[in-house]
Each structure stands twice: as structure tokens, then as C-alpha cells.
Amino acid sequence: MFDSEMIALVAQAFGESIFMTVASSIMAYVIGLPMGFILVASEEGGIAPMPMVNKILGAVVNFFRSIPFLILLVAIMPFTQAIVGTVIGAKAATVVLVVAAAPFVARMVETSLKEVDRGVIEAAESMGATPFEIMRKVLLPEAMPSLLLGSSIVTTTILAYSAMAGFCGGGGLGAIAINYGYYRGDRVIMWVMVVLIVLIVAVLQSAGIYISKKKDKRL
Amino acid sequence: MEQNQTIISLKGITKTFSTRNGTVEALKGIDLDIKRGEIFGIIGLSGAGKSTLVRCINLLERPDGGSVVINDTDLMSLSASGLREKRREIGMIFQQFHLLMQKTALENVCFPMEIAKVPKADAKKRAEELLEMVGLADRMYSYPAQLSGGQKQRVAIARALAMSPQVLLCDEATSALDPNTTKGVLELLKEINRKMGITVIIITHEMKVIREICHRVAIISDGAIAELGKVEEVFRAPKTDAGRALVFHEGDSREGYDGPMERCYRIVFDESNSNEPLLGSMMIECGAPVNILAANTRSIEGKVYGQMLIQLPKDAALREKMIANLRAKDILVEEVDHV
Ligand SMILES: Nc1ncnc2c1ncn2[C@@H]1O[C@H](COP(=O)(O)OP(=O)(O)O)[C@@H](O)[C@H]1O
Ligand SMILES: [Mg+2]
């Protein structure tokens, strides 16, 4: 059952899962982080109030957030095809994961930034800081522990999505679980995959908590 | 520095907030001139509009009407970037300190200079000097969470002074501190005012803060200025209900009597005549006793004032005589309809 061929397969799938998770997380943050900042800054009473921008962006985020992942995966196939030239494999899954996770990241970031005390922002305003300076030098560093904690939730969510993508030819540990565990009825393989995924989640989460605690100067 | 020169001039400031439960008229046309180099107090009960007023001075809150002129610049007419530039001339400290929690004391003090693009080395040097001045030379690398309330406020003061402002706004800066720490912070503000010539505006709901360090005071009540003048004058004989409420009925000075009372008078006297038995000699000269309801003394800017609540006899002619007698002794007498 666990011959060298199988081990190589699992190792490759493991690598694919990590690649999908890390790559999609990074890209989801590249898109979602600025969106989170814009959501916070543009709201009424924010540092750069833009009600229209806030409403539209909020609606877009909510729209994508409410589409179930598997349906999104199928629905954006033409988009995926156009971006990476294929709709199967880890690369294609990454595209879908980014589209699904970016709005999630935007909301996570928004929540973290809103935890920053309004008074501190006001103090910065009273010193003549621009909205951009407030975002970069007040909101970002002050919210950093919370953002880091959020990022461990985001990556574990993406990992969970990536396993789902495995059902639809997305590769990774999820694909092995479905091909060997489900179609061939090999329960051992399936549970090995489950344990591997749980391990990755545990590592990501404790790393997030550890770094966040370490960074936080509020004691 | 010229003491009588106006540095801040507020004219007809109005501000209305609309909330779900209707509108709140927080400021109803405030006129105020602050002189360069003075310590000006603004006192009022909670909700009177003090914070809104002080926030209008650096336009953290934009008034609906009126003008804010600082050093001959009309702040309302400035562009966003012009206003940011101008705000560097106005330091501000808050009740809850509002320090950056993820930065050390030193980094906090450097922050306004970083915003103003002061070279890093210069900024660090100045921040160190300022922290030394506020007595925190040994806590430069502490984070706010590791500091006491008084120390945090000192960091905030150092931060507010970083850009050498001409004005320092203090919104309930000592309200979160215990009495001893309050004293220390007020001493520091006094020193800053004296040594650097910085105009200080103190917002508070506590009389003792005003009495401790202010030169002039405005009593604000329900969004309007009720009284304004030298601290000793306003506190000695408040002319309005709002003023009286603050001056004579505050916490520890409560006379232990309240309720309606006929023929009730408040007399106020100061050091020059508080040593003589004024009331006794009046009673002897008029040949009739009075009923003393309450008495206390308080010190304002180093001067001692005494006040008494007395009830005079029913005989109207005798009453007039007694009042005239007291007034001749330079004592302030006023009728009050309730104690
Ligand atoms: N942002 C706001 N929105 C709505 N109402 C406000 C706002 N700020 C202040 N107010 C109201 O204005 C009045 C004055 O408030 P404030 O200036 O904070 O008083 P003070 O500082 O004297 O306690 C209060 O009735 C308060 O509820
Ligand atoms: Mg207030």
C-alpha cells in the first residue's frame, strides 16, 4: 500500500498543497489587504470618507463572499482558463483560491484595522498626518498582531478550500484523498491525508498565534 | 513675549451633530480670544461641549459656522495640506493619552517628526531631550503598556511638544489620573508654559485643575460660554447659575445644606478681610443676629477666599442695613434663592 511510488506521490501532493496555500495566500493578501484598508478609510467617519467607494467595494466583497466555493470554482472557469491556460491542476486551483480568498482577506483586514483605537488615529490627525501616513504608520503597525492572527485563519481557510479544489482536479492532498480514499476505497490513505492536512493547519495556526503574541507590545 | 496679543480667536463657532435620535446643538455661537502665553481654562459639566470646542480649534471637528483664526491664519480657509501644516503648530494631549501601543516611548515622541520628515537622527536627539525634560530619561525604550498613567501622559506631552508648537491643547489631560499624579502633570504644564512660552488651553470638569494653574477661565454650559474672566474673579463671585453650580457645589465644597430658603444671602470675602470678625462686628453694629447656614474657604491662585451662606432677619429695613454694612466692609453680598 505504502510503496515508494505512493510515498513519492504523497510528497508531491504535499508540495502542491503547500504551494497552492502559500501562493494563494500571498496573492489574496496582495489584493485583499489594500481592499481592507480602503473599506476602513472610506467609511463614514473614516480617515478619508468616500461613501460611494465604500458601498461599491463592500457590495463586490459581499457578492464574492456569498458564492459557495465549489460553485465559484466552476463559474469562473473561463476566467481561470484565460489566466493560466488550464482549468485543472494546482495552478488553476490557485487562481480560484485567490478569487475566493481575496474578499475574505479584505473583511479580515477590515476587522483588524477597526480594532485600532479611534483616539490614536485622531492624535495622528492632530499632528498633521495624511490619510496615507495614518494607514501606513498607524493602522498597519498598530493592527499588526491582529493582522498576523487573521493571516493564520486565512491560510488555514485557503488550505481547506484547496482540499476541496482537489475534488475537481485541483491536485494536492485533497486530490489523493478523493482518488485513493474515495474512489478506490482505501481508507488508510484517506486518513493519512486527513492527518497531514490537520498537521499543516495546526502548524499554521500555532505559528500565527506565536508570532502575533511575540509581536504584540500591549503585554 | 507680549501677554496681551491674541493668538487664537474664535468667532461665532457653531456645531450641530445629527444623530439617530435627532440633532444635538453642541456649540451655540462661541466667541473666545486666547492670549499668547496664557494658560486658559475651559470648565464645564460633562456634555457641555468642551471637547467639541477644543477640537474645533485644530479643526479635528469642523465647525458648521464661525471662524477659527490662529496667528492671523483663518484655519477654515486652508486647504487640506495647508491645514496639516498648520496643525504642527498646535500640540494636543488627551484624557486617554492615545499613544501608539506598538511603539516605544522614544518612537512615540519621534512620530510627529517622522510625519514632518525631520531627519531621523535629529528627531531621535530631540525626542531624547524631550523625554528627559518630562522626567522619563530612564523609560525611553519602554512600551506604553509598561508605563503608569502619569508616565503615559508625560510621553504624550513630550510627543505634543516635538514640533515646537505655539499652542498646547489639553482635553481632560488629568481626568484619568490620581490626585498626586495630576499635580505632577499640572506642574509640568505650568513649567512648559513658563519656560517655553507655549500657550496652554486646559479643558476640564474639575475646579481644582483650573485653580491650580490657569490664568483665565471660561465656564461653558450647554454649548455656550456662561462666564469668562480671571480665575480669581470668576471663582470668587460667579454670576451665572452655571458658574455657581460649578464653583460652590463641587464635590468636596458642598456645604452640607441644600434646599429652598428665604432671605438667604451669599457673602464672599478675601484674604484682606478674612482675618477680621466681620460678621460678628456687623451683628453688633446692627444689634441683631443672623443665621449662618454654611461656610467654607478656598484658595484660588494662592489667594484665600471665604464664603458664607447666611439668613438675614425678617425685618426688611434691618436687612438692608446689614447688607449695606457688609458691603461697606468690601464684602460681596448677593441674594440666593436656593442654597
Ligand atoms: N460625534 C458626535 N456625534 C453626536 N453627538 C456628539 C458628538 N460629539 C459630541 N456630541 C454631543 O455634543 C455634546 C457635547 O459633547 P462634548 O463636546 O464631548 O462635551 P464635553 O467634552 O463637555 O463632555 C454632547 O451632548 C454630546 O453627546
Ligand atoms: Mg469631553
Side-chain angles (χ1 to χ4, degrees):
Chain A
M1 176 185 67
F2 259 113
D3 47 24
S4 61
E5 196 184 325
M6 189 66 218
I7 288 172
L9 202 66
V10 171
Q12 195 210 339
F14 185 82
E16 274 176 4
S17 279
I18 298 289
F19 164 80
M20 280 192 286
T21 306
V22 172
S24 330
S25 296
I26 290 171
M27 278 189 274
Y29 266 92
V30 167
I31 298 167
L33 192 71
M35 285 190 349
F37 271 94
I38 294 169
L39 280 172
V40 170
S42 65
E43 75 174 1
E44 205 187 314
I47 50 175
M50 292 174 287
M52 266 323 265
V53 172
N54 188 274
K55 267 213 182 86
I56 293 169
L57 189 58
V60 170
V61 166
N62 283 346
F63 176 77
F64 279 97
R65 286 255 289 138
S66 53
I67 304 172
F69 179 71
L70 282 176
I71 295 176
L72 183 75
L73 188 150
V74 179
I76 65 165
M77 271 181 175
F79 175 76
T80 310
Q81 175 82 40
I83 298 265
V84 290
T86 171
V87 293
I88 52 164
K91 263 193 194 160
T94 302
V95 173
V96 187
L97 288 170
V98 171
V99 173
F104 178 54
V105 169
R107 286 291 181 212
M108 291 292 289
V109 169
E110 183 190 17
T111 310
S112 291
L113 296 182
K114 277 189 174 165
E115 285 167 21
V116 176
D117 183 15
R118 176 76 213 155
V120 179
I121 297 165
E122 207 164 85
E125 280 177 335
S126 81
M127 293 169 206
T130 63
F132 185 71
E133 282 168 331
I134 291 175
M135 288 193 238
R136 209 165 72 80
K137 298 182 174 188
V138 179
L139 289 179
L140 185 63
E142 289 293 295
M144 192 48 91
S146 171
L147 286 169
L148 286 169
L149 216 50
S151 75
S152 82
I153 296 172
V154 166
T155 43
T156 49
T157 304
I158 288 180
L159 183 72
Y161 282 171
S162 82
M164 256 197 270
F167 270 89
C168 314
L173 296 173
I176 299 205
I178 200 76
N179 290 337
Y180 290 81
Y182 183 68
Y183 291 122
R184 297 195 195 165
D186 188 336
R187 306 201 66 82
V188 176
I189 293 279
M190 199 182 77
W191 280 106
V192 169
M193 295 309 111
V194 168
V195 168
L196 276 177
I197 290 174
V198 168
L199 271 180
I200 300 176
V201 168
V203 166
L204 283 174
Q205 235 150 31
S206 27
I209 292 167
Y210 176 77
I211 299 172
S212 166
K213 276 223 176 105
K214 189 133 187 146
K215 276 236 146 206
D216 198 348
K217 306 301 182 192
R218 286 172 299 182
L219 303 184
Chain B
M1 228 173 278
E2 184 63 44
Q3 263 274 331
N4 287 324
Q5 203 183 338
T6 296
I7 184 165
I8 299 173
S9 175
L10 306 178
K11 288 220 165 40
I13 303 288
T14 56
K15 180 76 193 183
T16 303
F17 293 108
S18 31
T19 63
R20 265 183 219 99
N21 310 321
T23 58
V24 182
E25 239 185 302
L27 298 176
K28 301 170 179 169
I30 301 269
D31 296 315
L32 202 55
D33 280 339
I34 313 267
K35 294 173 198 157
R36 187 180 295 281
E38 75 174 332
I39 305 184
F40 190 91
I42 298 174
I43 188 168
L45 300 173
S46 170
K50 305 181 294 294
S51 294
T52 309
L53 178 60
V54 79
R55 289 156 52 79
C56 281
I57 294 177
N58 59 3
L59 294 200
L60 279 181
E61 205 79 73
R62 193 167 270 274
D64 298 329
S67 72
V68 181
V69 177
I70 299 185
N71 273 335
D72 300 322
T73 308
D74 179 2
L75 261 55
M76 306 266 275
S77 69
L78 291 176
S79 64
S81 71
L83 177 60
R84 282 195 290 270
E85 200 73 35
K86 192 77 186 166
R87 277 179 177 162
R88 290 175 194 163
E89 291 171 25
I90 312 165
M92 189 169 190
I93 58 173
F94 309 83
Q95 178 171 4
Q96 296 304 330
F97 325 120
H98 298 341
L99 296 174
L100 296 156
M101 297 305 284
Q102 306 294 344
K103 287 190 159 54
T104 61
L106 190 67
E107 289 167 333
N108 264 285
V109 180
C110 284
F111 186 75
M113 296 186 270
E114 191 182 331
I115 298 292
K117 313 260 179 331
V118 174
K120 268 215 167 73
D122 298 352
K124 182 161 181 273
K125 190 159 164 290
R126 172 146 178 84
E128 283 168 353
E129 286 166 8
L130 284 164
L131 282 168
E132 219 158 283
M133 189 204 76
V134 300
L136 289 175
D138 55 338
R139 304 308 300 269
M140 291 191 191
Y141 296 98
S142 299
Y143 289 93
Q146 300 166 321
L147 299 173
S148 71
Q151 290 172 326
K152 279 187 243 187
Q153 196 59 289
R154 283 168 189 272
V155 174
I157 290 171
R159 182 175 72 172
L161 296 179
M163 294 307 296
S164 310
Q166 300 186 17
V167 180
L168 181 61
L169 307 176
C170 314
D171 189 357
E172 304 272 10
T174 57
S175 300
L177 307 176
D178 63 60
N180 265 337
T181 316
T182 294
K183 231 178 165 71
V185 169
L186 292 180
E187 280 306 319
L188 177 60
L189 291 175
K190 215 189 246 182
E191 187 183 316
I192 287 164
N193 168 259
R194 210 177 40 229
K195 290 204 180 139
M196 307 183 179
I198 294 175
T199 308
V200 180
I201 298 181
I202 306 254
I203 302 285
T204 184
H205 65 276
E206 292 176 307
M207 283 256 310
K208 65 171 195 290
V209 170
I210 305 275
R211 230 183 299 142
E212 196 86 27
I213 67 166
C214 293
H215 304 132
R216 289 199 305 149
V217 63
I219 297 177
I220 177 167
S221 166
D222 203 15
I225 291 187
E227 294 193 38
L228 188 150
K230 289 208 175 113
V231 171
E232 41 182 303
E233 283 164 14
V234 171
F235 283 6
R236 175 182 170 183
K239 294 182 185 62
T240 61
D241 287 342
R244 277 189 282 267
L246 271 168
V247 174
F248 290 120
H249 288 261
E250 186 200 45
D252 58 301
S253 75
R254 235 189 147 79
E255 291 93 350
Y257 178 96
D258 62 329
M261 182 63 77
E262 279 172 13
R263 310 181 314 278
C264 190
Y265 292 80
R266 182 192 314 284
I267 62 173
V268 182
F269 42 89
D270 64 22
E271 262 178 334
S272 56
N273 48 27
S274 65
N275 292 329
E276 303 160 32
L278 294 158
L279 205 58
S281 60
M282 182 275 280
M283 287 190 267
I284 293 166
E285 282 160 35
C286 296
V290 302
N291 188 11
I292 298 176
L293 301 170
N296 64 20
T297 57
R298 50 172 70 237
S299 125
I300 299 168
E301 279 199 326
K303 276 197 190 164
V304 179
Y305 292 96
Q307 66 133 349
M308 280 186 187
L309 281 165
I310 55 175
Q311 192 179 32
L312 299 185
K314 284 206 175 94
D315 182 341
L318 184 57
R319 252 193 345 257
E320 289 308 316
K321 195 176 160 196
M322 286 179 155
I323 293 168
N325 183 299
L326 289 170
R327 287 197 172 134
K329 293 186 166 83
D330 235 353
I331 296 175
L332 186 127
V333 184
E334 56 172 350
E335 185 165 10
V336 287
D337 48 11
H338 67 284
V339 180

